[in-house]
Amino acid sequence: MSLSDADHDIVVDEIGREPTRAEAALFENLWSEHCAYRSSRPLLTAFDSEGDQVVIGPGDDAAVVSLPSHGDGEEMYITMGVESHNHPSYVDPFDGAATGVGGIVRDTLSMGAYPIALADCLYFGDFEREHSRYLFEGVVEGISHYGNCIGVPTVTGSVAFHDDYEGNPLVNVSCIGLMEPERTITAEAQEPGNKLVLVGNSTGRDGLGGASFASEDLAEDAETEDRPAVQVGDPYTEKLLIECNEALLDEALVESARDLGAAGLGGASSELVAKGGLGAEIELDRVHEREPDMNAMEYLLAESQERMVYEVAPENVDRVAELAERYDLGCSVIGELTAPGTNYVCTFEGETVVDVEAEFLGDGAPMNDLPSEEPPEQERDLPTVNLSEAFERIVASPNTASKRWVYRQYDHEVQVRTSVLPGDDAALLAIREAGTGLAFSAGADPNWTDAAPYEGARAVALENATNVAAKGAVPHAAVDCLNGGNPEKPDVYGGFKGIVDGLADMCSDLDVPVVGGNVSLYNDSVTGPIPPTPTLALVGVKEGYDAPPMDLSGEGTLVVVGDAALEGEADPRLGGSEYTAVFGGTDAFPELPADPTGLVQTIAEVADEDHVLASHDVSHGGLAVALAEMVHEDAGASVDVETVERGTRKRLLFNERPGRVVFETTDPAAVHEAFDGVAPVTELGEANGSNHLSLTVNDETLQYHASEITDLRSTIDDELA
């Protein structure tokens, strides 16, 4: 990739001369889709990012959100960020995924926070394909290696398989950080005369052109040809950087900060300067490097990992260097900030190689005005499948099967905050400083958004909100990672617009501010574009750190809330379901609740009641899969579902309308009362100590021992363990 003729002409017209080689490379990367959001920025105004809890919204390395405090708890802030490392993870799954973790953790550090939790949302081609499994294994290994080594728990996430990720998997990683309000810093330069100090790993040639690489379709030979664009991570250095960052903050030595990610030093330093409305003079010769004979462009654009650039007052530079040495990190004073109205200037070996206005470098790229086509609504065309076959194949599908193989490789209890562990609807973290429980859910469903981008994205937001509500938490804030194919294709861009609007509309309906995010386009390869994929990472808050488990106790009545179909009010649809993915066919997407806010709030309130013994949301795979997931060796259930007509049985059991929750309760009347006027409540049967699931639909009964269900759900373990 190189600077296009049109962009070249804009640059020449602005600076009044031909750009130097280093300037052209810098513009190429900072004006790429990956950095400049040229095709997506016009759409992102759809998101509501404001709220009393929002301290710093979109535009910084990570968002900052205040938490409610309970009891004697103190005021605390969290940071929220999300990053995609899609192309690198195809070329080199281990390093691509590992450096995605490293990057989002450094985004957290640059705001003044300590990283406390990670979520990984992973999307691959057909699980039956060897290449998909190779990518899957490498990505999980990379995430677990990096996260475990730096001591940050991976507590939640999602895994999905879909044919259209075969040539372009997605690796979306989210991080939550925690800090006291007075430690907050930003990526906005503060004062002329302050020094720019580079701290961390030495600079090499790895990751050159990573930003521009991420803005291109993947070629057939990408796994070999594009390997130099993939960064190589060192988690042990990142751990030292985390602790050094804490020490710098303890002594209030940092005025502003930016992590070195896309476009390397050139990207981080110019963006920091531009945000502060200042200029800078940088001497590239001062950068501590690990490879000989590097040129100016390589110093500027290498994406070597585990590096931060800090703004430091002159009188504090020596102390910063001392602390860097204590943690065995490199430290270079590379330049200083200059007055407003001055340029961003870089010199190398006595020669000026960059001399441009920082704001033009960061924000001068023109936005794209692209044509789009809306996808048609799917008609109903469903195959007839035996009920037991449908149950067994859907429960065993890699999309709905147990993901234990993934999360057992992560240390999800390091830092001893994880109250609800992976495998449940949402993780729950104990923020003891505030007396607050922080629920954390992240994911998307490509089947939903492939079938209906707008409605599917609304469903993704509702499902994540329902996940935290099922653990008794009220949705508080979210960040998104919007993944799409080549936006120059009208049908692809139409699908992308659909997921943006759908996610924005449902988050607005739920009163959940979307405080930041990431966009990844050109996820296209010789196999075609990916499904439009709106990963959402959402947090909820509650008093205390206890939550009802997903597992049945065996002592209560089972009810499902929010399922109008069981009340005979609607014809359940199977559009975007695992049923149609497994057996073929199409259908319209399920109709979503009319009052999602009232529904989610009531779910959260009821989940916290003493009479609730277990709770679990109903989504992927439908009611049948939800019930199967709740049964275990010590508790089972007897469920009886009556249908108006026999043809609706599969639609009742495998419909994936989100916003539904199964409660095991000792007081079903209280559940009915709580949801009166909000959503229908249907009694399904009783939990018991039988350690099996008995599921009767009209005159047909399915019966499975817990061990049989475990065997069905062990698809991924059986193949990869």
Side-chain angles (χ1 to χ4, degrees):
M1 185 177 179
S2 60
L3 192 63
S4 70
D5 290 343
D7 288 348
H8 171 270
D9 291 344
I10 293 172
V11 170
V12 169
D13 185 60
E14 175 69 22
I15 68 176
R17 57 175 171 80
E18 283 291 320
T20 67
R21 182 176 177 227
E23 287 171 339
L26 205 50
F27 277 110
E28 173 198 334
N29 279 267
L30 291 178
W31 285 18
S32 67
E33 185 67 49
H34 184 73
C35 291
Y37 290 6
R38 299 175 68 160
S39 301
S40 60
R41 190 184 299 181
L43 307 178
L44 301 182
T45 56
F47 288 103
D48 183 355
S49 303
E50 297 182 354
D52 292 341
Q53 69 271 49
V54 181
V55 179
I56 298 176
D60 222 308
D61 278 348
V64 179
V65 176
S66 65
L67 294 181
S69 57
H70 298 94
D72 296 328
E74 59 186 290
E75 183 182 20
M76 297 296 293
Y77 288 171
I78 61 167
T79 59
M80 299 180 68
V82 64
E83 178 166 305
S84 62
H85 242 219
N86 303 334
H87 284 27
S89 298
Y90 178 80
V91 174
D92 182 345
F94 179 89
D95 284 314
T99 51
V101 173
I104 196 61
V105 166
R106 292 193 305 278
D107 285 342
T108 302
L109 302 183
S110 71
M111 306 305 296
Y114 195 90
I116 63 168
L118 293 163
D120 61 336
C121 299
L122 313 176
Y123 309 86
F124 302 97
D126 187 350
F127 183 72
E128 298 299 318
R129 293 175 176 163
E130 183 178 355
H131 187 249
S132 297
R133 297 195 299 273
Y134 155 75
L135 294 172
F136 182 28
E137 290 183 279
V139 163
V140 171
E141 185 182 3
I143 291 170
S144 64
H145 173 70
Y146 208 100
N148 292 351
C149 288
I150 64 176
V152 181
T154 303
V155 298
T156 191
S158 65
V159 179
F161 300 93
H162 188 289
D163 285 347
D164 292 341
Y165 296 118
E166 178 60 28
N168 198 131
L170 303 183
V171 176
N172 296 172
V173 184
S174 181
C175 184
I176 291 176
L178 182 67
M179 64 182 170
E180 298 164 347
E182 60 269 21
R183 293 170 76 91
T184 306
I185 54 177
T186 71
E188 181 177 317
Q190 299 294 308
E191 188 72 30
N194 283 344
K195 302 298 183 180
L196 292 175
V197 183
L198 184 64
V199 175
N201 216 339
S202 55
T203 300
R205 292 184 172 92
D206 52 317
L208 275 170
S212 56
F213 162 57
S215 305
E216 298 176 294
D217 292 348
L218 281 173
E220 192 167 8
D221 57 359
E223 289 175 283
T224 54
E225 293 297 316
D226 291 317
R227 192 167 295 273
V230 179
Q231 309 92 335
V232 178
D234 177 0
Y236 301 106
T237 298
E238 181 106 344
K239 177 60 174 173
L240 294 172
L241 188 60
I242 292 171
E243 302 308 325
C244 182
N245 192 73
E246 283 291 290
L248 295 173
L249 294 169
D250 286 343
E251 298 187 27
L253 300 174
V254 177
E255 307 300 322
S256 68
R258 190 106 195 182
D259 94 290
L260 272 67
L265 174 61
S269 59
S270 65
E271 289 168 353
L272 183 144
V273 169
K275 281 182 174 293
L278 303 179
E281 293 179 354
I282 295 174
E283 296 180 56
L284 297 175
D285 310 73
R286 295 188 174 189
V287 172
H288 54 282
E289 81 281 351
R290 63 172 175 266
E291 296 189 38
D293 303 321
M294 291 179 63
N295 60 40
M297 186 180 70
E298 290 168 335
Y299 280 118
L300 277 169
L301 293 175
E303 296 181 8
S304 303
Q305 296 292 284
E306 294 88 36
R307 300 180 298 161
M308 301 281 291
V309 62
Y310 294 111
E311 177 190 353
V312 179
E315 64 271 19
N316 292 328
V317 167
D318 289 344
R319 181 56 178 159
V320 171
E322 289 174 6
L323 289 171
E325 185 177 6
R326 176 191 296 177
Y327 289 96
D328 199 24
L329 297 170
C331 181
S332 305
V333 182
I334 61 172
E336 68 176 48
L337 300 174
T338 56
T342 58
N343 276 357
Y344 174 78
V345 179
C346 300
T347 61
F348 179 68
E349 296 180 345
E351 178 185 354
T352 298
V353 294
V354 176
D355 187 354
V356 295
E357 184 186 358
E359 186 176 359
F360 176 64
L361 186 59
D363 293 324
M367 297 296 103
N368 295 331
D369 183 12
L370 300 174
S372 64
E373 297 174 0
E374 289 190 19
E377 182 174 329
Q378 294 186 347
E379 301 286 338
R380 173 165 287 176
D381 181 15
L382 297 172
T384 300
V385 182
N386 176 277
L387 190 61
S388 61
E389 180 187 2
F391 179 90
E392 292 177 13
R393 288 194 54 188
I394 291 173
V395 169
S397 168
N399 279 329
T400 54
S402 170
K403 304 305 185 296
R404 181 177 175 274
W405 179 87
V406 178
Y407 59 74
R408 73 179 181 184
Q409 299 186 51
Y410 304 146
D411 186 347
H412 42 259
E413 294 182 271
V414 65
Q415 300 190 29
V416 291
R417 290 186 182 275
T418 317
S419 177
V420 174
L421 303 179
D424 211 310
D425 295 329
L428 187 64
L429 303 169
I431 311 300
R432 300 180 185 87
E433 298 86 341
T436 298
L438 187 70
F440 189 16
S441 173
D445 190 321
N447 286 336
W448 294 356
T449 47
D450 193 26
Y454 176 79
E455 289 297 332
R458 291 183 69 229
V460 165
L462 179 57
E463 194 224 343
N464 279 284
T466 305
N467 282 339
V468 302
K471 302 300 111 177
V474 176
H476 194 60
V479 291
D480 59 32
C481 191
L482 304 168
N483 306 270
N486 186 334
E488 298 162 46
K489 300 176 180 178
D491 59 332
V492 170
Y493 196 55
F496 183 76
K497 289 181 68 174
I499 64 170
V500 171
D501 290 342
L503 206 63
D505 286 352
M506 181 56 79
C507 287
S508 179
D509 289 347
L510 293 168
D511 198 23
V512 176
V514 180
V515 294
N518 179 73
V519 176
S520 176
L521 294 176
Y522 290 96
N523 292 291
D524 220 318
S525 69
V526 291
T527 66
I530 63 160
T533 310
T535 297
L536 191 70
L538 183 147
V539 297
V541 292
K542 64 180 299 182
E543 183 175 0
Y545 330 120
D546 294 327
M550 180 175 71
D551 291 345
L552 295 174
S553 74
E555 299 176 357
T557 298
L558 293 180
V559 301
V560 60
V561 303
D563 203 329
L566 288 174
E567 295 289 293
E569 295 179 10
D571 180 19
R573 304 170 181 174
L574 290 178
S577 66
E578 194 62 23
Y579 183 95
T580 57
V582 170
F583 297 109
T586 58
D587 199 359
F589 196 77
E591 186 175 349
L592 300 183
D595 179 18
T597 303
L599 175 61
V600 168
Q601 289 178 342
T602 308
I603 289 171
E605 292 168 5
V606 170
D608 256 354
E609 296 292 339
D610 291 340
H611 63 81
V612 172
L613 307 178
S615 66
H616 185 25
D617 92 303
V618 180
S619 55
H620 312 302
L623 181 61
V625 170
L627 293 169
E629 290 173 332
M630 299 179 79
V631 171
H632 54 94
E633 288 293 337
D634 296 322
S638 179
V639 172
D640 193 340
V641 178
E642 294 186 3
T643 66
V644 176
E645 52 182 300
R646 295 175 187 272
T648 66
R649 292 186 301 182
K650 57 180 177 290
R651 301 203 291 275
L652 282 169
L653 290 182
F654 305 114
N655 157 270
E656 297 185 9
R657 178 183 188 264
R660 296 177 292 164
V661 171
V662 173
F663 288 117
E664 181 190 9
T665 174
T666 57
D667 190 354
V671 180
H672 281 278
E673 182 179 355
F675 283 93
D676 185 31
V678 176
V681 177
T682 304
E683 293 191 24
L684 297 172
E686 301 295 326
N688 52 53
S690 67
N691 64 25
H692 67 262
L693 174 64
S694 176
L695 180 57
T696 300
V697 186
N698 288 350
D699 57 352
E700 185 171 358
T701 298
L702 305 179
Q703 187 156 312
Y704 294 91
H705 192 279
S707 62
E708 294 177 279
I709 292 175
T710 298
D711 289 344
L712 287 172
R713 300 192 67 239
S714 65
T715 303
I716 295 174
D717 276 273
D718 290 346
E719 183 64 39
L720 301 180

